Amino acid sequence: MRIFAISDLHVDYPENFEWVESLSRIDYIDDVLLVAGDISHEESLVWCALEELNLRFREVFFVPGNHDLWLRDNTHKNSLVKFNALLARCKEMGVHTGPKHLENGGPWIVPLYSWYLGPHEGSGSLYVAKRGEDAKLSMWADKRAVRWPHFEDYVNPADFFLSLNDVRTSDEDHSPVISFSHFLPRSELMFWTEEEFAATGLKPVDPQPRFNFSRVAGCRELDDQIRTLGSSLHVYGHQHRNRDRTLDGVRYVSHCLGYPREREQGRVRDVGQAPLLVWEA
Ligand SMILES: [Fe+2]
């Protein structure tokens, strides 16, 4: 059994959709794919991409990312309505959006819903101050493209989405757990190590000096859930910075396709022609 991971497909870029279509229709028929969010803001393209992936993999798991919840027309009243519509359609297609124990002694796969917490939204924010940053996040498109309803019993969207996750563990079941989310669970993951940065060959120039990604990165409660679950491996996306690091006993992996211009600039490491193999038994 093999499990592969990919995220941030952004198939509204034709070259990214071609990347999906170029995946082998033979090589993965016994395999599982985790798609850690941000397929497209365009709903029809989300379905097309998932259909293409469903043809190629035995099982596909998906959690929506922020781009998948953008509202560009009046089809959905708000982003939560769109989220629920995405989940319903995934169910019809046989794409998993909830926990599942893979057969034949395989691991549990647990999708974790989440959102990001800004610096004033709670102690779980991943915010790290940056000199000269724009506190209004005016260039962050979610400000215009995501709209929430009033969350009755929850103080913010992160709180609401985290409440949807089933993180109960079974004492009798010692199967390994692999979890995945769109957003980041830890602030350390945002930053290059010196070695990683040196390997990119990039100049040490900040391409977006006013933008502080840590305002919209994720939340620490997500890591609490990862630890409660006892995950040995957590796959995430969102930042378009590919990582593979072990922190306090958990392996965190990000394998984002990202935008074509980011690949050209070397800002997101080219993932090559395949999703990443993260588990093999
Ligand atoms: Fe994202």
Side-chain angles (χ1 to χ4, degrees), residues 14 55 63 65 69 92 94 232 249 258 277:
L55 283 172
V63 285
L69 301 188
E92 282 170 20
S232 50
L277 176 65

Side-chain angles (χ1 to χ4, degrees), residues 43 71-78 81 147:
E43 217 172 341
L71 306 168
R72 283 289 181 87
D73 54 31
N74 294 323
T75 309
H76 300 292
K77 201 168 133 205
N78 58 54
V81 171
R147 202 166 55 242

Side-chain angles (χ1 to χ4, degrees), residues 46-213:
V46 175
W47 310 132
C48 289
L50 284 173
E51 265 165 29
E52 292 290 334
L53 295 169
N54 236 354
L55 283 172
R56 289 161 173 81
F57 289 82
R58 182 164 61 85
E59 298 192 71
V60 175
F61 288 77
F62 171 60
V63 285
N66 50 320
H67 281 249
D68 303 311
L69 301 188
W70 280 10
L71 306 168
R72 283 289 181 87
D73 54 31
N74 294 323
T75 309
H76 300 292
K77 201 168 133 205
N78 58 54
S79 295
L80 181 58
V81 171
K82 189 175 184 189
F83 171 81
N84 286 323
L86 286 172
L87 263 50
R89 183 71 186 270
C90 282
K91 198 171 180 187
E92 282 170 20
M93 292 175 70
V95 169
H96 304 293
T97 56
K100 186 178 181 207
H101 193 179
L102 299 179
E103 303 85 25
N104 305 321
W108 274 94
I109 303 292
V110 185
L112 292 177
Y113 302 119
S114 55
W115 199 257
Y116 45 80
L117 281 179
H120 306 297
E121 289 181 292
S123 59
S125 173
L126 302 186
Y127 176 70
V128 178
K130 174 176 169 179
R131 191 187 295 256
E133 68 182 284
D134 168 20
K136 292 198 178 123
L137 275 178
S138 25
M139 68 182 293
W140 183 242
D142 284 14
K143 301 266 286 180
R144 295 169 288 280
V146 174
R147 202 166 55 242
W148 298 118
H150 174 63
F151 289 103
E152 295 276 327
D153 299 319
Y154 303 95
V155 289
N156 53 53
D159 228 26
F160 169 77
F161 283 112
L162 290 161
S163 78
L164 302 180
N165 300 330
D166 185 355
V167 291
R168 282 170 301 175
T169 47
S170 161
D171 288 341
E172 296 104 66
D173 185 356
H174 297 293
S175 305
V177 177
I178 296 175
S179 52
F180 73 106
S181 61
H182 179 62
F183 298 99
L184 281 70
R186 293 177 68 124
S187 49
E188 301 97 309
L189 296 167
M190 276 183 274
F191 305 102
W192 306 97
T193 62
E194 271 182 39
E195 278 176 359
E196 282 170 352
F197 190 76
T200 65
L202 291 167
K203 294 201 178 96
V205 176
D206 186 345
Q208 295 171 318
R210 299 266 290 147
F211 177 58
N212 182 350
F213 175 75

Side-chain angles (χ1 to χ4, degrees), residues 8 10 37-38 65-67 140 182-183 237-240:
D8 302 270
H10 295 288
D38 276 4
N66 50 320
H67 281 249
W140 183 242
H182 179 62
F183 298 99
H238 190 47
Q239 195 186 5
H240 301 194

